[in-house]
Amino acid sequence: MSNDIKAIETEYDGHRFRSRLEARWAVFFNAVGLTYEYEIEGFEMDGTRYLPDFYIPSLNRWFEIKGKPLSLNEIKKCEEFCRRLDNEMVWYKKS
């Protein structure tokens, strides 16, 4: 039996967030006056697709929101994304 708690999709600010935690971050970004973009673009890295949760244009930063510690695979994906960020990336659009 798994102890994992399922995320609850939440609508806020014209977006359907995959979890309440993501929606809470959107509330925070709005509260501090940061314009955010939610899951706007994805990246393909050697056959692995990555869709960051938020992009903050004024900071030129991407944010990934997790409700638990990252797995080793998730850490590696984030590290690879950071390494490639300043290099040529292959983008894919969220469908």
mmCIF file of all heavy atoms in Angstrom, residues 50-93:
data_model
loop_
_atom_site.group_PDB
_atom_site.id
_atom_site.type_symbol
_atom_site.label_atom_id
_atom_site.label_comp_id
_atom_site.label_asym_id
_atom_site.label_seq_id
_atom_site.Cartn_x
_atom_site.Cartn_y
_atom_site.Cartn_z
ATOM 1 N N TYR A 50 11.386 17.754 -20.318
ATOM 2 C CA TYR A 50 11.299 18.444 -19.031
ATOM 3 C C TYR A 50 10.411 19.667 -19.193
ATOM 4 O O TYR A 50 10.631 20.475 -20.089
ATOM 5 C CB TYR A 50 12.699 18.844 -18.562
ATOM 6 C CG TYR A 50 12.725 19.588 -17.259
ATOM 7 C CD1 TYR A 50 12.131 19.061 -16.116
ATOM 8 C CD2 TYR A 50 13.344 20.820 -17.159
ATOM 9 C CE1 TYR A 50 12.156 19.752 -14.918
ATOM 10 C CE2 TYR A 50 13.388 21.515 -15.965
ATOM 11 C CZ TYR A 50 12.784 20.966 -14.849
ATOM 12 O OH TYR A 50 12.797 21.647 -13.666
ATOM 13 N N LEU A 51 9.415 19.788 -18.338
ATOM 14 C CA LEU A 51 8.472 20.908 -18.364
ATOM 15 C C LEU A 51 8.519 21.619 -17.013
ATOM 16 O O LEU A 51 7.851 21.211 -16.063
ATOM 17 C CB LEU A 51 7.053 20.401 -18.659
ATOM 18 C CG LEU A 51 5.949 21.440 -18.740
ATOM 19 C CD1 LEU A 51 6.201 22.423 -19.885
ATOM 20 C CD2 LEU A 51 4.600 20.746 -18.929
ATOM 21 N N PRO A 52 9.333 22.680 -16.896
ATOM 22 C CA PRO A 52 9.399 23.417 -15.623
ATOM 23 C C PRO A 52 8.041 24.040 -15.284
ATOM 24 O O PRO A 52 7.273 24.407 -16.178
ATOM 25 C CB PRO A 52 10.434 24.506 -15.885
ATOM 26 C CG PRO A 52 11.180 24.077 -17.097
ATOM 27 C CD PRO A 52 10.235 23.249 -17.900
ATOM 28 N N ASP A 53 7.770 24.171 -14.003
ATOM 29 C CA ASP A 53 6.470 24.679 -13.558
ATOM 30 C C ASP A 53 6.283 26.165 -13.846
ATOM 31 O O ASP A 53 5.266 26.558 -14.399
ATOM 32 C CB ASP A 53 6.285 24.422 -12.053
ATOM 33 C CG ASP A 53 6.239 22.951 -11.729
ATOM 34 O OD1 ASP A 53 5.592 22.193 -12.486
ATOM 35 O OD2 ASP A 53 6.855 22.542 -10.734
ATOM 36 N N PHE A 54 7.221 26.982 -13.432
ATOM 37 C CA PHE A 54 7.069 28.435 -13.555
ATOM 38 C C PHE A 54 8.292 29.056 -14.213
ATOM 39 O O PHE A 54 9.416 28.607 -14.014
ATOM 40 C CB PHE A 54 6.925 29.087 -12.175
ATOM 41 C CG PHE A 54 5.651 28.771 -11.471
ATOM 42 C CD1 PHE A 54 5.594 27.736 -10.548
ATOM 43 C CD2 PHE A 54 4.502 29.516 -11.701
ATOM 44 C CE1 PHE A 54 4.418 27.448 -9.884
ATOM 45 C CE2 PHE A 54 3.322 29.233 -11.044
ATOM 46 C CZ PHE A 54 3.279 28.190 -10.132
ATOM 47 N N TYR A 55 8.027 30.134 -14.945
ATOM 48 C CA TYR A 55 9.091 31.002 -15.442
ATOM 49 C C TYR A 55 8.754 32.407 -14.973
ATOM 50 O O TYR A 55 7.619 32.873 -15.120
ATOM 51 C CB TYR A 55 9.176 30.972 -16.973
ATOM 52 C CG TYR A 55 10.215 31.920 -17.518
ATOM 53 C CD1 TYR A 55 11.565 31.691 -17.299
ATOM 54 C CD2 TYR A 55 9.841 33.059 -18.219
ATOM 55 C CE1 TYR A 55 12.523 32.558 -17.778
ATOM 56 C CE2 TYR A 55 10.797 33.935 -18.713
ATOM 57 C CZ TYR A 55 12.131 33.682 -18.489
ATOM 58 O OH TYR A 55 13.087 34.548 -18.957
ATOM 59 N N ILE A 56 9.730 33.089 -14.370
ATOM 60 C CA ILE A 56 9.564 34.466 -13.913
ATOM 61 C C ILE A 56 10.385 35.350 -14.854
ATOM 62 O O ILE A 56 11.620 35.416 -14.740
ATOM 63 C CB ILE A 56 10.049 34.654 -12.450
ATOM 64 C CG1 ILE A 56 9.435 33.617 -11.515
ATOM 65 C CG2 ILE A 56 9.785 36.086 -11.989
ATOM 66 C CD1 ILE A 56 7.933 33.703 -11.349
ATOM 67 N N PRO A 57 9.727 36.015 -15.820
ATOM 68 C CA PRO A 57 10.466 36.806 -16.821
ATOM 69 C C PRO A 57 11.367 37.880 -16.229
ATOM 70 O O PRO A 57 12.499 38.071 -16.693
ATOM 71 C CB PRO A 57 9.360 37.422 -17.681
ATOM 72 C CG PRO A 57 8.173 36.546 -17.484
ATOM 73 C CD PRO A 57 8.293 36.021 -16.081
ATOM 74 N N SER A 58 10.895 38.592 -15.197
ATOM 75 C CA SER A 58 11.702 39.690 -14.647
ATOM 76 C C SER A 58 12.986 39.198 -13.989
ATOM 77 O O SER A 58 13.956 39.951 -13.870
ATOM 78 C CB SER A 58 10.881 40.513 -13.649
ATOM 79 O OG SER A 58 10.525 39.712 -12.529
ATOM 80 N N LEU A 59 13.016 37.949 -13.565
ATOM 81 C CA LEU A 59 14.208 37.361 -12.956
ATOM 82 C C LEU A 59 14.971 36.463 -13.931
ATOM 83 O O LEU A 59 16.081 36.021 -13.620
ATOM 84 C CB LEU A 59 13.823 36.526 -11.721
ATOM 85 C CG LEU A 59 13.088 37.253 -10.604
ATOM 86 C CD1 LEU A 59 12.691 36.268 -9.512
ATOM 87 C CD2 LEU A 59 13.939 38.381 -10.034
ATOM 88 N N ASN A 60 14.340 36.183 -15.074
ATOM 89 C CA ASN A 60 14.885 35.223 -16.038
ATOM 90 C C ASN A 60 15.255 33.917 -15.339
ATOM 91 O O ASN A 60 16.351 33.386 -15.501
ATOM 92 C CB ASN A 60 16.085 35.795 -16.780
ATOM 93 C CG ASN A 60 16.503 34.924 -17.957
ATOM 94 O OD1 ASN A 60 15.676 34.219 -18.543
ATOM 95 N ND2 ASN A 60 17.779 34.968 -18.297
ATOM 96 N N ARG A 61 14.300 33.405 -14.543
ATOM 97 C CA ARG A 61 14.520 32.188 -13.763
ATOM 98 C C ARG A 61 13.345 31.237 -13.910
ATOM 99 O O ARG A 61 12.196 31.650 -13.995
ATOM 100 C CB ARG A 61 14.692 32.499 -12.267
ATOM 101 C CG ARG A 61 15.945 33.256 -11.919
ATOM 102 C CD ARG A 61 17.179 32.373 -12.109
ATOM 103 N NE ARG A 61 18.388 33.052 -11.737
ATOM 104 C CZ ARG A 61 19.211 33.642 -12.595
ATOM 105 N NH1 ARG A 61 18.927 33.668 -13.873
ATOM 106 N NH2 ARG A 61 20.313 34.203 -12.184
ATOM 107 N N TRP A 62 13.666 29.935 -13.884
ATOM 108 C CA TRP A 62 12.674 28.866 -13.923
ATOM 109 C C TRP A 62 12.533 28.294 -12.520
ATOM 110 O O TRP A 62 13.511 28.227 -11.776
ATOM 111 C CB TRP A 62 13.139 27.761 -14.878
ATOM 112 C CG TRP A 62 13.264 28.224 -16.287
ATOM 113 C CD1 TRP A 62 14.373 28.759 -16.879
ATOM 114 C CD2 TRP A 62 12.253 28.218 -17.286
ATOM 115 N NE1 TRP A 62 14.108 29.073 -18.189
ATOM 116 C CE2 TRP A 62 12.811 28.747 -18.465
ATOM 117 C CE3 TRP A 62 10.912 27.806 -17.309
ATOM 118 C CZ2 TRP A 62 12.089 28.878 -19.649
ATOM 119 C CZ3 TRP A 62 10.202 27.932 -18.486
ATOM 120 C CH2 TRP A 62 10.777 28.464 -19.630
ATOM 121 N N PHE A 63 11.321 27.863 -12.172
ATOM 122 C CA PHE A 63 11.059 27.287 -10.858
ATOM 123 C C PHE A 63 10.357 25.945 -11.011
ATOM 124 O O PHE A 63 9.402 25.824 -11.779
ATOM 125 C CB PHE A 63 10.168 28.218 -10.021
ATOM 126 C CG PHE A 63 10.877 29.447 -9.545
ATOM 127 C CD1 PHE A 63 11.028 30.543 -10.389
ATOM 128 C CD2 PHE A 63 11.408 29.511 -8.274
ATOM 129 C CE1 PHE A 63 11.689 31.681 -9.974
ATOM 130 C CE2 PHE A 63 12.080 30.660 -7.846
ATOM 131 C CZ PHE A 63 12.215 31.741 -8.701
ATOM 132 N N GLU A 64 10.822 24.962 -10.267
ATOM 133 C CA GLU A 64 10.197 23.638 -10.226
ATOM 134 C C GLU A 64 9.645 23.455 -8.821
ATOM 135 O O GLU A 64 10.368 23.620 -7.840
ATOM 136 C CB GLU A 64 11.229 22.552 -10.544
ATOM 137 C CG GLU A 64 10.685 21.158 -10.532
ATOM 138 C CD GLU A 64 9.683 20.895 -11.649
ATOM 139 O OE1 GLU A 64 9.848 21.454 -12.756
ATOM 140 O OE2 GLU A 64 8.735 20.135 -11.404
ATOM 141 N N ILE A 65 8.374 23.105 -8.720
ATOM 142 C CA ILE A 65 7.707 22.975 -7.429
ATOM 143 C C ILE A 65 7.439 21.506 -7.149
ATOM 144 O O ILE A 65 6.835 20.812 -7.963
ATOM 145 C CB ILE A 65 6.356 23.745 -7.424
ATOM 146 C CG1 ILE A 65 6.543 25.194 -7.868
ATOM 147 C CG2 ILE A 65 5.685 23.635 -6.069
ATOM 148 C CD1 ILE A 65 7.499 26.010 -7.036
ATOM 149 N N LYS A 66 7.890 21.042 -6.005
ATOM 150 C CA LYS A 66 7.650 19.661 -5.577
ATOM 151 C C LYS A 66 7.198 19.677 -4.122
ATOM 152 O O LYS A 66 7.681 20.459 -3.319
ATOM 153 C CB LYS A 66 8.919 18.804 -5.687
ATOM 154 C CG LYS A 66 9.445 18.642 -7.085
ATOM 155 C CD LYS A 66 8.540 17.754 -7.900
ATOM 156 C CE LYS A 66 9.154 17.492 -9.259
ATOM 157 N NZ LYS A 66 8.185 17.001 -10.206
ATOM 158 N N GLY A 67 6.301 18.776 -3.795
ATOM 159 C CA GLY A 67 5.805 18.663 -2.425
ATOM 160 C C GLY A 67 6.602 17.702 -1.579
ATOM 161 O O GLY A 67 6.279 17.481 -0.411
ATOM 162 N N LYS A 68 7.623 17.116 -2.167
ATOM 163 C CA LYS A 68 8.483 16.171 -1.439
ATOM 164 C C LYS A 68 9.888 16.294 -1.991
ATOM 165 O O LYS A 68 10.091 16.902 -3.052
ATOM 166 C CB LYS A 68 7.945 14.748 -1.599
ATOM 167 C CG LYS A 68 7.870 14.282 -3.034
ATOM 168 C CD LYS A 68 7.266 12.895 -3.146
ATOM 169 C CE LYS A 68 7.212 12.485 -4.624
ATOM 170 N NZ LYS A 68 6.631 11.196 -4.809
ATOM 171 N N PRO A 69 10.867 15.724 -1.312
ATOM 172 C CA PRO A 69 12.239 15.804 -1.832
ATOM 173 C C PRO A 69 12.333 15.195 -3.233
ATOM 174 O O PRO A 69 11.631 14.243 -3.563
ATOM 175 C CB PRO A 69 13.050 14.990 -0.818
ATOM 176 C CG PRO A 69 12.230 15.038 0.434
ATOM 177 C CD PRO A 69 10.795 15.052 -0.018
ATOM 178 N N LEU A 70 13.209 15.757 -4.039
ATOM 179 C CA LEU A 70 13.409 15.256 -5.392
ATOM 180 C C LEU A 70 14.049 13.875 -5.378
ATOM 181 O O LEU A 70 14.925 13.597 -4.551
ATOM 182 C CB LEU A 70 14.317 16.204 -6.177
ATOM 183 C CG LEU A 70 13.808 17.617 -6.436
ATOM 184 C CD1 LEU A 70 14.890 18.453 -7.101
ATOM 185 C CD2 LEU A 70 12.562 17.593 -7.289
ATOM 186 N N SER A 71 13.614 13.040 -6.303
ATOM 187 C CA SER A 71 14.267 11.745 -6.490
ATOM 188 C C SER A 71 15.610 11.980 -7.176
ATOM 189 O O SER A 71 15.856 13.065 -7.724
ATOM 190 C CB SER A 71 13.398 10.826 -7.351
ATOM 191 O OG SER A 71 13.359 11.312 -8.694
ATOM 192 N N LEU A 72 16.457 10.977 -7.185
ATOM 193 C CA LEU A 72 17.754 11.102 -7.838
ATOM 194 C C LEU A 72 17.568 11.416 -9.322
ATOM 195 O O LEU A 72 18.279 12.261 -9.877
ATOM 196 C CB LEU A 72 18.565 9.817 -7.660
ATOM 197 C CG LEU A 72 19.990 9.829 -8.195
ATOM 198 C CD1 LEU A 72 20.791 10.983 -7.592
ATOM 199 C CD2 LEU A 72 20.675 8.510 -7.910
ATOM 200 N N ASN A 73 16.605 10.785 -9.960
ATOM 201 C CA ASN A 73 16.318 11.040 -11.372
ATOM 202 C C ASN A 73 15.874 12.486 -11.598
ATOM 203 O O ASN A 73 16.301 13.132 -12.555
ATOM 204 C CB ASN A 73 15.251 10.065 -11.887
ATOM 205 C CG ASN A 73 15.056 10.167 -13.378
ATOM 206 O OD1 ASN A 73 16.023 10.263 -14.130
ATOM 207 N ND2 ASN A 73 13.810 10.153 -13.809
ATOM 208 N N GLU A 74 15.016 13.008 -10.716
ATOM 209 C CA GLU A 74 14.557 14.396 -10.834
ATOM 210 C C GLU A 74 15.707 15.375 -10.627
ATOM 211 O O GLU A 74 15.795 16.393 -11.321
ATOM 212 C CB GLU A 74 13.437 14.675 -9.832
ATOM 213 C CG GLU A 74 12.141 13.962 -10.168
ATOM 214 C CD GLU A 74 11.128 14.000 -9.038
ATOM 215 O OE1 GLU A 74 11.521 14.017 -7.849
ATOM 216 O OE2 GLU A 74 9.926 14.006 -9.360
ATOM 217 N N ILE A 75 16.588 15.072 -9.709
ATOM 218 C CA ILE A 75 17.760 15.922 -9.471
ATOM 219 C C ILE A 75 18.641 15.959 -10.719
ATOM 220 O O ILE A 75 19.071 17.026 -11.158
ATOM 221 C CB ILE A 75 18.568 15.434 -8.253
ATOM 222 C CG1 ILE A 75 17.772 15.683 -6.968
ATOM 223 C CG2 ILE A 75 19.941 16.115 -8.185
ATOM 224 C CD1 ILE A 75 18.368 15.030 -5.737
ATOM 225 N N LYS A 76 18.879 14.795 -11.307
ATOM 226 C CA LYS A 76 19.707 14.731 -12.510
ATOM 227 C C LYS A 76 19.073 15.516 -13.656
ATOM 228 O O LYS A 76 19.761 16.214 -14.397
ATOM 229 C CB LYS A 76 19.935 13.283 -12.917
ATOM 230 C CG LYS A 76 20.895 12.552 -12.006
ATOM 231 C CD LYS A 76 21.091 11.119 -12.428
ATOM 232 C CE LYS A 76 22.039 10.409 -11.486
ATOM 233 N NZ LYS A 76 22.248 9.011 -11.867
ATOM 234 N N LYS A 77 17.742 15.415 -13.793
ATOM 235 C CA LYS A 77 17.045 16.145 -14.857
ATOM 236 C C LYS A 77 17.183 17.656 -14.643
ATOM 237 O O LYS A 77 17.463 18.403 -15.584
ATOM 238 C CB LYS A 77 15.570 15.750 -14.879
ATOM 239 C CG LYS A 77 14.835 16.242 -16.105
ATOM 240 C CD LYS A 77 13.345 15.988 -16.078
ATOM 241 C CE LYS A 77 12.936 14.567 -15.875
ATOM 242 N NZ LYS A 77 11.475 14.377 -16.019
ATOM 243 N N CYS A 78 17.017 18.116 -13.423
ATOM 244 C CA CYS A 78 17.157 19.542 -13.122
ATOM 245 C C CYS A 78 18.590 20.018 -13.345
ATOM 246 O O CYS A 78 18.811 21.104 -13.888
ATOM 247 C CB CYS A 78 16.722 19.832 -11.688
ATOM 248 S SG CYS A 78 14.948 19.722 -11.419
ATOM 249 N N GLU A 79 19.551 19.219 -12.927
ATOM 250 C CA GLU A 79 20.957 19.581 -13.142
ATOM 251 C C GLU A 79 21.270 19.691 -14.624
ATOM 252 O O GLU A 79 21.952 20.622 -15.058
ATOM 253 C CB GLU A 79 21.878 18.561 -12.472
ATOM 254 C CG GLU A 79 21.904 18.662 -10.971
ATOM 255 C CD GLU A 79 22.731 17.573 -10.317
ATOM 256 O OE1 GLU A 79 23.045 16.546 -10.982
ATOM 257 O OE2 GLU A 79 23.061 17.717 -9.129
ATOM 258 N N GLU A 80 20.786 18.735 -15.413
ATOM 259 C CA GLU A 80 21.022 18.760 -16.856
ATOM 260 C C GLU A 80 20.370 19.987 -17.476
ATOM 261 O O GLU A 80 20.950 20.651 -18.330
ATOM 262 C CB GLU A 80 20.475 17.479 -17.508
ATOM 263 C CG GLU A 80 20.744 17.391 -18.985
ATOM 264 C CD GLU A 80 22.223 17.264 -19.338
ATOM 265 O OE1 GLU A 80 23.049 16.936 -18.462
ATOM 266 O OE2 GLU A 80 22.555 17.496 -20.514
ATOM 267 N N PHE A 81 19.162 20.313 -17.040
ATOM 268 C CA PHE A 81 18.464 21.507 -17.527
ATOM 269 C C PHE A 81 19.294 22.753 -17.244
ATOM 270 O O PHE A 81 19.499 23.591 -18.121
ATOM 271 C CB PHE A 81 17.085 21.603 -16.880
ATOM 272 C CG PHE A 81 16.352 22.872 -17.200
ATOM 273 C CD1 PHE A 81 15.818 23.084 -18.463
ATOM 274 C CD2 PHE A 81 16.190 23.856 -16.240
ATOM 275 C CE1 PHE A 81 15.138 24.252 -18.766
ATOM 276 C CE2 PHE A 81 15.514 25.021 -16.526
ATOM 277 C CZ PHE A 81 14.982 25.224 -17.795
ATOM 278 N N CYS A 82 19.808 22.875 -16.028
ATOM 279 C CA CYS A 82 20.609 24.048 -15.652
ATOM 280 C C CYS A 82 21.886 24.132 -16.483
ATOM 281 O O CYS A 82 22.272 25.219 -16.917
ATOM 282 C CB CYS A 82 20.948 24.001 -14.164
ATOM 283 S SG CYS A 82 19.522 24.256 -13.101
ATOM 284 N N ARG A 83 22.534 23.000 -16.718
ATOM 285 C CA ARG A 83 23.764 22.985 -17.519
ATOM 286 C C ARG A 83 23.497 23.451 -18.944
ATOM 287 O O ARG A 83 24.301 24.143 -19.544
ATOM 288 C CB ARG A 83 24.378 21.591 -17.553
ATOM 289 C CG ARG A 83 25.301 21.296 -16.407
ATOM 290 C CD ARG A 83 26.129 20.055 -16.674
ATOM 291 N NE ARG A 83 25.355 18.826 -16.618
ATOM 292 C CZ ARG A 83 25.032 18.178 -15.505
ATOM 293 N NH1 ARG A 83 25.415 18.660 -14.349
ATOM 294 N NH2 ARG A 83 24.339 17.066 -15.539
ATOM 295 N N ARG A 84 22.365 23.066 -19.491
ATOM 296 C CA ARG A 84 22.058 23.364 -20.889
ATOM 297 C C ARG A 84 21.352 24.694 -21.087
ATOM 298 O O ARG A 84 21.199 25.133 -22.220
ATOM 299 C CB ARG A 84 21.179 22.260 -21.474
ATOM 300 C CG ARG A 84 21.888 20.949 -21.576
ATOM 301 C CD ARG A 84 20.927 19.884 -22.033
ATOM 302 N NE ARG A 84 21.587 18.621 -22.174
ATOM 303 C CZ ARG A 84 21.540 17.883 -23.264
ATOM 304 N NH1 ARG A 84 20.840 18.280 -24.301
ATOM 305 N NH2 ARG A 84 22.164 16.737 -23.321
ATOM 306 N N LEU A 85 20.907 25.315 -20.038
ATOM 307 C CA LEU A 85 20.069 26.504 -20.138
ATOM 308 C C LEU A 85 20.691 27.595 -20.998
ATOM 309 O O LEU A 85 20.006 28.228 -21.789
ATOM 310 C CB LEU A 85 19.744 27.050 -18.747
ATOM 311 C CG LEU A 85 18.665 28.114 -18.680
ATOM 312 C CD1 LEU A 85 17.361 27.601 -19.289
ATOM 313 C CD2 LEU A 85 18.438 28.544 -17.255
ATOM 314 N N ASP A 86 21.974 27.800 -20.871
ATOM 315 C CA ASP A 86 22.634 28.848 -21.639
ATOM 316 C C ASP A 86 23.090 28.376 -23.016
ATOM 317 O O ASP A 86 23.594 29.166 -23.803
ATOM 318 C CB ASP A 86 23.830 29.408 -20.869
ATOM 319 C CG ASP A 86 23.394 30.189 -19.647
ATOM 320 O OD1 ASP A 86 22.305 30.786 -19.697
ATOM 321 O OD2 ASP A 86 24.143 30.197 -18.661
ATOM 322 N N ASN A 87 22.918 27.107 -23.294
ATOM 323 C CA ASN A 87 23.276 26.556 -24.597
ATOM 324 C C ASN A 87 22.012 26.391 -25.434
ATOM 325 O O ASN A 87 20.903 26.652 -24.967
ATOM 326 C CB ASN A 87 23.981 25.210 -24.424
ATOM 327 C CG ASN A 87 25.267 25.366 -23.634
ATOM 328 O OD1 ASN A 87 26.009 26.318 -23.829
ATOM 329 N ND2 ASN A 87 25.513 24.444 -22.733
ATOM 330 N N GLU A 88 22.160 25.955 -26.643
ATOM 331 C CA GLU A 88 21.009 25.764 -27.526
ATOM 332 C C GLU A 88 20.115 24.654 -26.969
ATOM 333 O O GLU A 88 20.572 23.561 -26.673
ATOM 334 C CB GLU A 88 21.486 25.373 -28.930
ATOM 335 C CG GLU A 88 20.352 25.294 -29.920
ATOM 336 C CD GLU A 88 20.852 24.973 -31.311
ATOM 337 O OE1 GLU A 88 21.991 25.335 -31.632
ATOM 338 O OE2 GLU A 88 20.101 24.369 -32.058
ATOM 339 N N MET A 89 18.835 24.959 -26.802
ATOM 340 C CA MET A 89 17.866 24.002 -26.290
ATOM 341 C C MET A 89 16.855 23.669 -27.364
ATOM 342 O O MET A 89 16.539 24.493 -28.201
ATOM 343 C CB MET A 89 17.122 24.579 -25.073
ATOM 344 C CG MET A 89 18.000 24.914 -23.892
ATOM 345 S SD MET A 89 18.630 23.471 -23.041
ATOM 346 C CE MET A 89 17.173 22.878 -22.253
ATOM 347 N N VAL A 90 16.332 22.466 -27.315
ATOM 348 C CA VAL A 90 15.250 22.059 -28.207
ATOM 349 C C VAL A 90 13.964 22.206 -27.403
ATOM 350 O O VAL A 90 13.790 21.589 -26.356
ATOM 351 C CB VAL A 90 15.424 20.600 -28.675
ATOM 352 C CG1 VAL A 90 14.244 20.169 -29.531
ATOM 353 C CG2 VAL A 90 16.735 20.459 -29.438
ATOM 354 N N TRP A 91 13.055 23.043 -27.882
ATOM 355 C CA TRP A 91 11.812 23.332 -27.176
ATOM 356 C C TRP A 91 10.687 22.476 -27.726
ATOM 357 O O TRP A 91 10.665 22.137 -28.886
ATOM 358 C CB TRP A 91 11.425 24.784 -27.384
ATOM 359 C CG TRP A 91 12.362 25.762 -26.790
ATOM 360 C CD1 TRP A 91 13.617 26.061 -27.232
ATOM 361 C CD2 TRP A 91 12.153 26.580 -25.653
ATOM 362 N NE1 TRP A 91 14.185 27.032 -26.445
ATOM 363 C CE2 TRP A 91 13.304 27.363 -25.465
ATOM 364 C CE3 TRP A 91 11.079 26.755 -24.781
ATOM 365 C CZ2 TRP A 91 13.426 28.278 -24.439
ATOM 366 C CZ3 TRP A 91 11.214 27.667 -23.764
ATOM 367 C CH2 TRP A 91 12.371 28.417 -23.603
ATOM 368 N N TYR A 92 9.733 22.151 -26.899
ATOM 369 C CA TYR A 92 8.492 21.565 -27.363
ATOM 370 C C TYR A 92 7.353 22.280 -26.660
ATOM 371 O O TYR A 92 7.511 22.762 -25.542
ATOM 372 C CB TYR A 92 8.425 20.043 -27.125
ATOM 373 C CG TYR A 92 8.267 19.639 -25.679
ATOM 374 C CD1 TYR A 92 7.014 19.459 -25.114
ATOM 375 C CD2 TYR A 92 9.378 19.426 -24.863
ATOM 376 C CE1 TYR A 92 6.874 19.091 -23.786
ATOM 377 C CE2 TYR A 92 9.246 19.061 -23.551
ATOM 378 C CZ TYR A 92 7.990 18.884 -23.016
ATOM 379 O OH TYR A 92 7.853 18.519 -21.704
ATOM 380 N N LYS A 93 6.228 22.395 -27.320
ATOM 381 C CA LYS A 93 5.079 23.077 -26.732
ATOM 382 C C LYS A 93 4.225 22.089 -25.975
ATOM 383 O O LYS A 93 4.036 20.975 -26.415
ATOM 384 C CB LYS A 93 4.239 23.733 -27.823
ATOM 385 C CG LYS A 93 4.949 24.876 -28.474
ATOM 386 C CD LYS A 93 4.070 26.069 -28.474
ATOM 387 C CE LYS A 93 4.770 27.194 -29.194
ATOM 388 N NZ LYS A 93 4.904 28.335 -28.404
#
